[in-house]
Amino acid sequence: MSPDSGLKGFCSRNILIILGFSFIMAVIALIAVGLTQNKTLPENVKYGIVLDAGSSHTTLYIYKWPAEKENDTGVVNQIYECKVKGPGISQYAHKTSDLVIYLTTCMERAREVIPISQHQETPVYLGATAGMRLLRLQEEWLADDVLTMVTQILNNYPFDFRGARILSGEEEGAYGWITVNYLLGKFTKKLRWLTLMPNDNESQETYGALDLGGASTQITFVPQNQTIESPQNALYFRLYGKDYSVYTHSFLCYGKDQALLQKVAKDIQATNGTIQDPCFNHGYSRVMNVSDIYNSTCTWEFQNRLPFHQFEIQGIGDFEECQQSIIKLFNTSQCPYSRCAFNEIFLPQLQGQFGAFSAYYYVMKFLNLTSEEPISQEKMIDTIKKFCSRPWKELKTNFGDVKEKYLSEYCFSGTYIISLLQTGYHFTPDNWKNIHFMGQIRNTDVGWTLGYMLNLTNMIPAEQPMSTPLSHSTYVFLMVFFSLILIAVVVIGLIIFHKPSIFWKDMV
C-alpha cells in the first residue's frame, strides 16, 4: 500500500469521525430545542365571560385560552365583544323588569359563540362601575334591586354565573393596570435558553394605567423609590414572582359625562336661563331640564333654587375659555401631603410610560391623535383648539354619521382630557410623550374586564411559571440551522463513502 493511499484512508476516517460527531450533536441539538420549546399541546380550551356594566353602557366580552396554559402569559385572547343596546344598568333602577330584554341579545350571542359542551363550565362575571357606585350613594336599595334582577336574569342562562357586584374605584383602577401590563407582557421575565432561569436584566418596568369613563376616572402606576403617603391609595400584588407596590385612585364624578354635568350645574347659577358655552361649537344649541342636571349625586353641591325649569346651552367654541371653566372643577388650593393631584388627593411623582384607554382613546381616535408615535402636548392642544373653533354646521356636514350627542361633546371632552392630564395629574410637556392612547393590545380591548377575570380565575400566579425560553422566530431559526447541518453532514458523508475520488480530487 502506497503512503498516499494510507494518508487518504487516515484522513477519510478522521473526516468521517468528525462528520459522525457533527451529525450526533446536530440531532441532540434538534431534540433539545424541540423539547425545551414545546409543551404538551392543549387538548381543550376554556372560555370566560365578563360584562362591563358602565355608567353609560354595558359591554359583554368573551375570552378564550388553552386549558393547559392557564398560568402562562399572553395566552388569553378576546374572541368576541357585544355592546348592549341602551344606557348603563343604573338607568334601569325604576324599571328593573326591562333588564331582561336589555341583556337578552348579547347573552344569546354568547350561547352561540361558546360551544354547547363548554357552557356549564364557562364562568360569567358582571362588574358594575361608577354609574352604580353613584346610584348606591343616592339610593342603596335601588342599587340592590338592580343587582338582584341582573343576578336572576344571568342565573337563567346555562353558564357558571359567579355573581354581579359593584367594583370599588380602586379595584377598577387596579384591574385596568393588570390588563395593560398582562397584555404587554410586563409581568413575566424572559428565560435564557439552556439555563431555564429568569434573566433579571430583561425584566421591564410596568406601564401606568389611565382610565376615563363616563362617571369616574382612575390613575394607577408603580411609583419607584417613593412612599405612598395615603394608605387608602396603596395596593400590593405578588404577580409572577415579583412584588408590586401600586398607587391607585379613582376620582368619582370626574368621568367626562359627570364632569360636564358639574360644569353646566356651576355655570347656570349666574344666568337667566341661557348659557353661552365655550365648550360647544359655535352655532350649536341644546335645551335641558334643570332637574336632569341636579338628579346626579355629583351636582348636589351646586343645587340652588332657580327661577326657570329649563335652560338653553348656546355654543361659542373657544378652547381657552372652555379650559378655564373646566379647570375650576379641580380644587388645587390645598394639599395635606407632599404632592397632590386635586381635591386634596395624594399623587406620587409621575414615572414611566402610561397607557390611556376607554374614553381617553375614543375621544383621541375621533380627533385623529392615536398614532403609534407619541403626540406632543402642543400638537394635541392645537388640534383640539382648531376642532372647537369649527362651526357646528360644518361638523354636521362632515360628520353626519356620528351621533349628535357625541359629536357635540367632542370639544368639551378633548379639552377636559387636556385639563385633567395637565392640571389634575400634572403631566408636563416633557413627560407628555410617555402617554400612549390604547384601544386594543393584541386584538384584546384594554380595560378592567380582563384583569378582573384573570384575578377571579387565579390565572396570574404569585410565583413565576415556566414559559417558553425562545421566541418563535429564534426557535424556527435554530431548527432550520441544525437541520441544514444534518443535511450537509449526510451529503458530505455519502460523497466520501461512495465516491472518495471526487473528494480527494477537489482537495488536490
Side-chain angles (χ1 to χ4, degrees), residues 424-492:
Y425 297 151
H426 313 304
F427 277 94
T428 65
D430 290 334
N431 59 15
W432 201 269
K433 64 181 181 297
N434 295 336
I435 303 171
H436 307 272
F437 296 99
M438 300 175 168
Q440 289 192 331
I441 301 173
R442 294 190 298 104
N443 299 317
T444 297
D445 284 42
V446 179
W448 61 265
T449 53
L450 176 57
Y452 186 59
M453 188 194 72
L454 292 171
N455 179 63
L456 292 177
T457 50
N458 297 316
M459 287 174 61
I460 296 189
E463 299 307 320
Q464 173 78 13
M466 284 298 205
S467 59
T468 55
L470 303 173
S471 67
H472 180 70
S473 57
T474 305
Y475 169 67
V476 170
F477 169 77
L478 288 175
M479 294 297 283
V480 171
F481 177 72
F482 288 126
S483 297
L484 289 175
I485 290 177
L486 275 179
I487 294 170
V489 166
V490 171
V491 169
I492 294 172

Side-chain angles (χ1 to χ4, degrees), residues 373-392:
E373 293 297 319
I375 304 294
S376 69
Q377 187 184 86
E378 184 182 7
K379 180 179 179 181
M380 190 174 293
I381 291 173
D382 185 58
T383 300
I384 295 170
K385 186 184 295 186
K386 287 178 180 176
F387 180 83
C388 288
S389 67
R390 296 174 69 177
W392 174 245

Side-chain angles (χ1 to χ4, degrees), residues 190-221:
K190 298 291 184 182
L191 297 182
R192 294 175 297 193
W193 188 52
L194 295 180
T195 62
L196 294 182
M197 293 297 290
N199 185 353
D200 291 328
N201 294 328
E202 294 184 8
S203 61
Q204 297 172 301
E205 286 188 7
T206 57
Y207 266 51
L210 297 168
D211 188 357
L212 178 63
S216 69
T217 184
Q218 288 74 233
I219 178 170
T220 309
F221 64 101

Side-chain angles (χ1 to χ4, degrees), residues 121-125 160-164 456-457:
E121 60 183 69
T122 296
V124 177
Y125 306 95
D160 179 16
F161 178 61
R162 297 189 182 179
L456 292 177
T457 50

Side-chain angles (χ1 to χ4, degrees), residues 289-300:
N289 295 320
V290 173
S291 59
D292 291 339
I293 297 296
Y294 288 152
N295 272 346
S296 170
T297 310
C298 299
T299 58
W300 281 355

Side-chain angles (χ1 to χ4, degrees), residues 273-294:
T274 302
I275 300 175
Q276 299 290 315
D277 199 320
C279 295
F280 292 89
N281 297 83
H282 181 73
Y284 174 80
S285 66
R286 176 193 296 186
V287 175
M288 297 184 69
N289 295 320
V290 173
S291 59
D292 291 339
I293 297 296
Y294 288 152

